[in-house]
Amino acid sequence: MAAAMPLALVVLLLLGPGGPARAESPRDSLREELVITPLPSGDVAATFQFRIRWDSELQREGDTDHYFLRYAVLPREVVCTENLTPWKKLLPCSSKAGLSVLLKADRLFHTRYHSQAVHIRPICRNARCTSISWELRQTLSVVFDAFITGQGKKDWSLFRMFSRTLTEPCPLASESRVYVDITNYSQDNETVEVNPPPTTTYEDVILGTRRTYAVYDLLDTAMINNSRNLNLQLKWKKPPENEAPPVPFLHAQRYVSGYGLQKGELSTLLYNTHPYRAFPVLLLDSVPWYLRLYVHTLTITSKGKENKPSYIHYQPAQDRLQPHLLEMLIQLPANSVTKVSIQFERALLKWTEYTPDPNHGFYISPSVLSALVPSMVAAKPVDWEGSPLFNTLFPVSDGSSYFVRLYTEPLLVNLPTPDFSMPYNVICLTCTVVAVCYGSFYNLLTRTFHIEEPSTGGLAKRLANLIRRARGVPPL
Amino acid sequence: NLLAYSFVLSPFSEQFFRSGHTNNWAVLVCTSRFWFNYRHVANTLSVYRSVKRLGIPDSHIVLMLADDMACNPRNPKPATVFSHKNMELNVYGDDVEVDYRSYEVTVENFLRVLTGRIPPSTPRSKRLLSDDRSNILIYMTGHGGNGFLKFQDSEEITNIELADAFEQMWQKRRYNELLFIIDTCQGASMYERFYSPNIMALASSQVGEDSLSHQPDPAIGVHLMDRYTFYVLEFLEEINPASQTNMNDLFQVCPKSLCVSTPGHRTDLFQRDPKNVLITDFFGSVRKVEITTETISLQQYSEMESSYKEDQMDEELMEPLKYAEQLPVAQIIHQKPKLKDWHPPGGFILGLWALIIMVFFKTYGIKHMKFIF
């Protein structure tokens, strides 16, 4: 890469003739990229990824077992600008320069889909893994609805999506790129025009299929030369064909069935649509304690026959302490639907444990599916340092499959909810009954009535009566 | 030395040391849930916006919003909360930080924030780390009545609890001066019971009166703000960090003709005269700078840097970095089952077996015992 070469030369010069002659990556490095994928429906998916890598000075003794996993999940969290603000503060350039100027909350939340993530992981720097680097990756994915954001027009541009254009790269970034997926729309066919025309393209096998990307490098000074800003535009010459999008090899669905507020059944459907390959899937379920699972009713069926998992781990729940944890490795046969179902009973919570709006229901966190899905096109082993970030989020050394982590939908179940207005109703009713029944008796028993003689009246009354007799009106 | 300098100090120095506080905090609470209480969230966010604009940083603001209006599915313009109709002013902004959200806004959490009795695992942004030189602004809004304020439609805080919380704060020296503003129906009842010194209180309506909302927006479909806070926001928009407006102007901000209810205030517990108290004493942030003539020498870091570079060169950087395997299927399947430690049976199981053995020997006779031992 052109940008890296001068850096390497400069480092060599600094080290002088005595030092070792090899190129080294900077100690703390930031790479940022934006991937724009037009979807067959006309929507546009945009994914930001920022990677910060730094070396840890600590030396570890030996190879520690890093397979201990703690899993915690909050089933429902409203994501809004208040979540984006601390996420943006982790970025070195914040929202001042580079790709992060596009992160404007009022556009990012007016989308069909929004997802933010922070991944931290250690990377071994030598074979024995005694010295490590830390990698912090922040990803943000949005899907813009063509009709809401684009006002019905299928042409899109960076300005229309984000209400901003790119002006300069982040000075702290060693790489800052925008990739546009042009796999289905090649320039020769005259279906689509990408403006400004890309200087380079990148081709690779991503998620099992061969894809082509137009690359715009913000660090390339020729890119933002003329108008001081980069506004990528995609114009459709011909309207896009309405073809059905390809079905992914692995997808899943989850639902609660049953009736009433006592029992229910939790079912997960796993679809393997690959025509001839079977592959294993790791299913992780974390169900809150107030859905008491009956593990003896756990059934896994594929194509009508029972399917025994290769590995199963179940940790029962403890009331108010920890949720159920069920982890299974299931072999999905080719071209089949596997149903994993388990029955549960709903618990009655203590009245202080209900949320202020308990009739809305309680959320159950989604199941997590991890799988190595076989690719349609085998990928050749890549140099992970050189490939773009979206290829190395879940890198797989063997090119014949790619790693996928799926989340099913979160569920909403109603628990038996007491009527919280009852204490008030009871107080009103009892007080009324007591006041009417006992009160009347009390009054009858303790009150005495005296008859009072009316007073005969004074002088004024006699004068008034005199005048009234004169007028012919009856006396007082 | 200091005395000699005091003669040449400018007249602004008197004002510099007038108020006696060194830092500012704000605790802004919206206690209502559900979409039709949009205006309470807009109230709190307008005060948040003004307070931030006048200099108080996010680290010194504890913002508690009981429900999410900005990204509510019923909001036609996501990530916005408007205060004026025709969507003129988005008080939600672009860099809002909410500390307590949704179900976390409870009476218990509010009182814990005020008194500082917080579990040790609470993050810093959720704490009120004030000291005895802090001026604190406390703004509360929601639905209230005579002597109480409703939290999230499920619990209440009474004026006596609030007064006791402020007394705890005084005894723990957690504030220098406190400004309490409340915008609810019968708001004046909430400050009737205060008995700690240095508290000034404002309310949007007297006991027996309702605080009214300002104007609905036809596109959003709900009332956007309450009247009292709407006029307070308009008043605060005129204030900048250097302005000299004092509290007496804040007391007059909403006359009965605009607000329909009668705003009230209470200053008997406050030691200074309200006309000497600047608005920026509570709504803005104070940056008191102390100039010193001492110098501090920084250590040389060069020897540390060179040893750092040596470590770097020793490593084998030529080997490519290795990510861990994403799904090690073989390792998962061939895991040895963990041997659980055997514990002797206790309690119920032990009693049950003892009973079974007793019944057995009773039925079949004691002669079988010798075969056991």
Side-chain angles (χ1 to χ4, degrees):
Chain A
M1 291 164 284
M5 276 299 294
L7 183 64
L9 283 171
V10 164
V11 166
L12 281 171
L13 286 169
L14 280 177
L15 287 176
R22 60 175 114 108
E24 18 181 275
S25 53
R27 298 295 288 197
D28 301 348
S29 68
L30 165 71
R31 281 175 64 171
E32 51 180 29
E33 73 182 27
L34 166 63
V35 181
I36 299 179
T37 314
L39 299 173
S41 59
D43 300 339
V44 178
T47 305
F48 292 85
Q49 199 168 145
F50 301 91
R51 187 192 80 179
I52 304 166
R53 192 184 271 175
W54 69 98
D55 299 328
S56 164
E57 271 99 43
L58 300 172
Q59 300 285 322
R60 300 158 77 177
E61 300 96 28
D63 197 11
T64 53
D65 184 4
H66 40 254
Y67 287 114
F68 288 116
L69 184 72
R70 286 201 199 279
Y71 179 68
V73 61
L74 193 60
R76 166 98 170 136
E77 174 83 355
V78 177
V79 180
C80 207
T81 314
E82 56 212 52
N83 298 83
L84 187 64
T85 310
W87 189 94
K88 275 201 288 196
K89 285 187 176 167
L90 286 176
L91 301 173
C93 275
S94 192
S95 48
K96 306 280 189 294
L99 295 174
S100 37
V101 295
L102 299 177
L103 299 172
K104 286 295 154 204
D106 53 342
R107 308 298 292 170
L108 290 178
F109 291 100
H110 203 35
T111 51
R112 216 189 257 274
Y113 173 83
H114 177 103
S115 158
Q116 283 169 231
V118 175
H119 305 264
I120 300 184
R121 61 183 168 189
I123 309 170
C124 305
R125 277 220 298 274
N126 54 20
R128 286 179 315 122
C129 209
T130 46
S131 69
I132 53 173
S133 298
W134 289 97
E135 185 182 273
L136 168 73
R137 280 195 198 226
Q138 293 174 251
T139 60
L140 192 144
S141 304
V142 284
V143 175
F144 289 99
D145 194 320
F147 289 96
I148 295 176
T149 348
Q151 287 103 40
K153 291 197 276 281
K154 294 243 167 113
D155 299 342
W156 58 263
S157 69
L158 277 186
F159 187 77
R160 176 169 281 158
M161 292 197 299
F162 300 107
S163 71
R164 290 285 184 288
T165 54
L166 295 167
T167 47
E168 48 168 350
C170 175
L172 300 168
S174 55
E175 281 175 34
S176 181
R177 294 210 177 99
V178 180
Y179 292 84
V180 182
D181 187 347
I182 50 173
T183 316
N184 301 331
Y185 323 109
S186 57
Q187 299 268 43
D188 314 333
N189 272 358
E190 296 286 326
T191 44
V192 84
E193 183 198 324
V194 181
N195 194 5
T199 44
T200 44
T201 54
Y202 173 75
E203 245 190 57
D204 202 351
V205 177
I206 310 290
L207 293 183
T209 49
R210 190 168 291 283
R211 310 203 78 89
T212 315
Y213 293 88
V215 184
Y216 298 87
D217 192 345
L218 289 182
L219 290 170
D220 183 2
T221 47
M223 187 66 50
I224 317 185
N225 224 350
N226 308 333
S227 54
R228 299 298 303 160
N229 68 357
L230 175 66
N231 184 18
L232 290 171
Q233 285 166 328
L234 185 80
K235 286 198 195 30
W236 293 95
K237 293 277 178 57
K238 280 189 329 211
E241 299 135 24
N242 289 340
E243 48 181 54
V247 181
F249 285 146
L250 173 68
H251 61 280
Q253 224 188 330
R254 196 166 178 232
Y255 57 90
V256 167
S257 50
Y259 58 90
L261 287 175
Q262 196 199 352
K263 301 196 295 263
E265 188 177 0
L266 193 61
S267 308
T268 312
L269 294 176
L270 308 169
Y271 296 85
N272 176 0
T273 56
H274 200 288
Y276 51 87
R277 291 279 299 272
F279 53 86
V281 160
L282 188 65
L283 176 69
L284 176 71
D285 249 320
S286 174
V287 179
W289 66 268
Y290 42 80
L291 292 194
R292 303 190 198 277
L293 297 181
Y294 289 122
V295 185
H296 72 279
T297 57
L298 174 68
T299 49
I300 308 173
T301 46
S302 308
K303 290 182 170 168
K305 292 197 308 249
E306 200 203 323
N307 182 350
K308 198 159 143 45
S310 323
Y311 165 79
I312 186 163
H313 170 70
Y314 174 65
Q315 196 173 19
Q318 291 177 29
D319 273 10
R320 300 176 182 86
L321 288 178
Q322 67 180 43
H324 301 271
L325 187 73
L326 181 59
E327 195 174 13
M328 296 183 283
L329 189 71
I330 308 172
Q331 286 285 125
L332 301 184
N335 209 9
S336 67
V337 179
T338 307
K339 181 172 174 183
V340 179
S341 61
I342 186 167
Q343 291 180 5
F344 62 85
E345 188 186 61
R346 300 169 210 232
L348 191 63
L349 302 178
K350 296 183 184 167
W351 78 292
T352 47
E353 289 171 351
Y354 285 99
T355 55
D357 53 352
N359 289 297
H360 180 73
F362 288 77
Y363 285 96
I364 313 297
S365 54
S367 326
V368 186
L369 299 162
S370 314
L372 284 170
V373 182
S375 323
M376 283 214 302
V377 178
K380 51 186 188 311
V382 287
D383 164 32
W384 281 334
E385 282 310 299
S387 58
L389 294 177
F390 58 87
N391 217 357
T392 55
L393 187 55
F394 295 116
V396 180
S397 47
D398 160 29
S400 64
S401 53
Y402 59 93
F403 181 78
V404 132
R405 178 165 284 143
L406 283 184
Y407 296 88
T408 59
E409 46 277 85
L411 303 171
L412 191 59
V413 296
N414 266 338
L415 290 184
T417 310
D419 183 355
F420 292 100
S421 61
M422 276 314 287
Y424 166 76
N425 295 342
V426 166
I427 292 171
C428 285
L429 189 67
T430 355
C431 291
T432 311
V433 165
V434 165
V436 169
C437 300
Y438 175 70
S440 331
F441 270 115
Y442 177 79
N443 284 338
L444 282 175
L445 291 173
T446 54
R447 271 200 201 155
T448 55
F449 293 93
H450 301 281
I451 298 183
E452 221 179 70
E453 291 293 323
S455 57
T456 42
L459 177 68
K461 198 161 167 211
R462 267 185 270 157
L463 261 169
N465 276 339
L466 213 64
I467 299 168
R468 285 175 89 102
R469 207 160 2 120
R471 282 169 61 198
V473 168
L476 284 167
Chain B
N1 240 358
L2 203 60
L3 283 172
Y5 280 131
S6 67
F7 296 122
V8 297
L9 285 172
S10 60
F12 289 122
S13 62
E14 200 190 271
Q15 187 190 330
F16 193 71
F17 295 111
R18 203 194 297 176
S19 56
H21 70 283
T22 57
N23 55 79
N24 285 79
W25 286 81
V27 178
L28 311 172
V29 185
C30 162
T31 60
S32 304
R33 169 166 280 277
F34 305 124
W35 174 246
F36 49 83
N37 291 320
Y38 182 104
R39 59 188 187 279
H40 297 140
V41 173
N43 289 349
T44 318
L45 286 172
S46 349
V47 179
Y48 172 78
R49 173 206 148 76
S50 312
V51 142
K52 228 167 119 156
R53 195 178 54 82
L54 291 172
I56 303 186
D58 271 314
S59 53
H60 283 226
I61 303 178
V62 177
L63 179 61
M64 302 170 82
L65 297 181
D67 201 0
D68 163 61
M69 300 302 167
C71 287
N72 195 309
R74 291 171 78 164
N75 192 349
K77 291 202 133 246
T80 59
V81 172
F82 293 108
S83 59
H84 290 61
K85 74 170 184 222
N86 300 326
M87 305 190 192
E88 283 166 21
L89 181 60
N90 174 19
V91 288
Y92 194 59
D94 213 24
D95 58 348
V96 59
E97 271 187 33
V98 180
D99 302 304
Y100 287 83
R101 50 197 306 221
S102 192
Y103 299 136
E104 294 167 357
V105 179
T106 57
V107 174
E108 181 189 343
N109 282 348
F110 174 62
L111 292 177
R112 282 188 187 278
V113 163
L114 287 185
T115 53
R117 293 155 73 171
I118 282 188
S121 57
T122 320
R124 217 184 145 89
S125 58
K126 284 181 156 170
R127 292 178 190 247
L128 178 65
L129 299 165
S130 56
D131 53 25
D132 63 321
R133 291 262 144 254
S134 311
N135 272 13
I136 309 183
L137 164 72
I138 299 184
Y139 176 83
M140 300 182 76
T141 182
H143 288 289
N146 190 356
F148 67 90
L149 170 61
K150 201 164 64 152
F151 266 70
Q152 298 222 37
D153 210 20
S154 67
E155 49 181 2
E156 294 126 22
I157 185 173
T158 55
N159 48 8
I160 302 171
E161 280 177 2
L162 197 55
D164 288 341
F166 287 163
E167 176 64 14
Q168 272 196 52
M169 286 174 80
W170 174 251
Q171 291 189 7
K172 290 168 86 159
R173 298 286 178 265
R174 280 171 69 78
Y175 69 90
N176 174 38
E177 285 169 346
L178 204 116
L179 176 64
F180 175 75
I181 305 183
I182 184 158
D183 187 351
T184 63
C185 303
Q186 309 193 50
S189 61
M190 289 304 284
Y191 62 61
E192 274 172 358
R193 300 293 196 127
F194 291 166
Y195 55 97
S196 318
N198 286 356
I199 301 184
M200 190 187 312
L202 282 98
S204 59
S205 55
Q206 300 294 332
V207 175
E209 286 181 347
D210 286 338
S211 289
L212 301 179
S213 57
H214 187 61
Q215 35 174 237
D217 181 289
I220 299 179
V222 284
H223 286 262
L224 295 182
M225 283 273 271
D226 279 331
R227 282 176 188 257
Y228 182 70
T229 313
F230 181 82
Y231 292 108
V232 168
L233 173 67
E234 280 198 354
F235 171 79
L236 289 174
E237 290 285 301
E238 310 282 317
I239 309 279
N240 57 59
S243 77
Q244 300 292 308
T245 333
N246 56 37
M247 280 294 163
N248 277 339
D249 303 324
L250 188 58
F251 295 156
Q252 314 302 327
V253 81
C254 199
K256 200 168 161 75
S257 58
L258 289 174
C259 255
V260 184
S261 57
T262 321
H265 53 93
R266 178 178 177 178
T267 52
D268 56 314
L269 295 165
F270 206 75
Q271 282 172 12
R272 291 191 286 154
D273 192 346
K275 75 170 188 297
N276 292 332
V277 180
L278 299 178
I279 298 283
T280 50
D281 279 353
F282 288 101
F283 286 88
S285 181
V286 173
R287 299 269 195 276
K288 296 244 161 70
V289 175
E290 194 180 298
I291 302 173
T292 172
T293 50
E294 288 176 28
T295 52
I296 304 170
S297 62
L298 295 171
Q299 248 184 359
Q300 286 289 10
Y301 279 116
S302 56
E303 56 263 11
M304 283 173 66
E305 267 185 28
S306 57
S307 67
Y308 197 64
K309 275 211 169 55
E310 276 163 21
D311 289 338
Q312 191 188 341
M313 288 175 207
D314 287 339
E315 292 152 20
E316 311 124 48
L317 273 177
M318 292 314 288
E319 260 192 59
L321 297 174
K322 195 165 81 77
Y323 288 103
E325 234 191 282
Q326 297 299 315
L327 191 67
V329 176
Q331 281 183 326
I332 294 172
I333 297 179
H334 295 116
Q335 274 185 37
K336 288 203 202 354
K338 290 183 284 286
L339 276 167
K340 288 212 175 54
D341 297 331
W342 183 82
H343 299 287
F348 178 71
I349 303 288
L350 194 64
L352 188 69
W353 276 107
L355 184 69
I356 291 171
I357 290 175
M358 254 179 47
V359 168
F360 172 77
F361 284 116
K362 222 140 152 55
T363 6
Y364 294 107
I366 206 79
K367 62 182 186 293
H368 291 277
M369 285 286 277
K370 65 172 182 291
F371 290 109
I372 309 293
F373 298 108

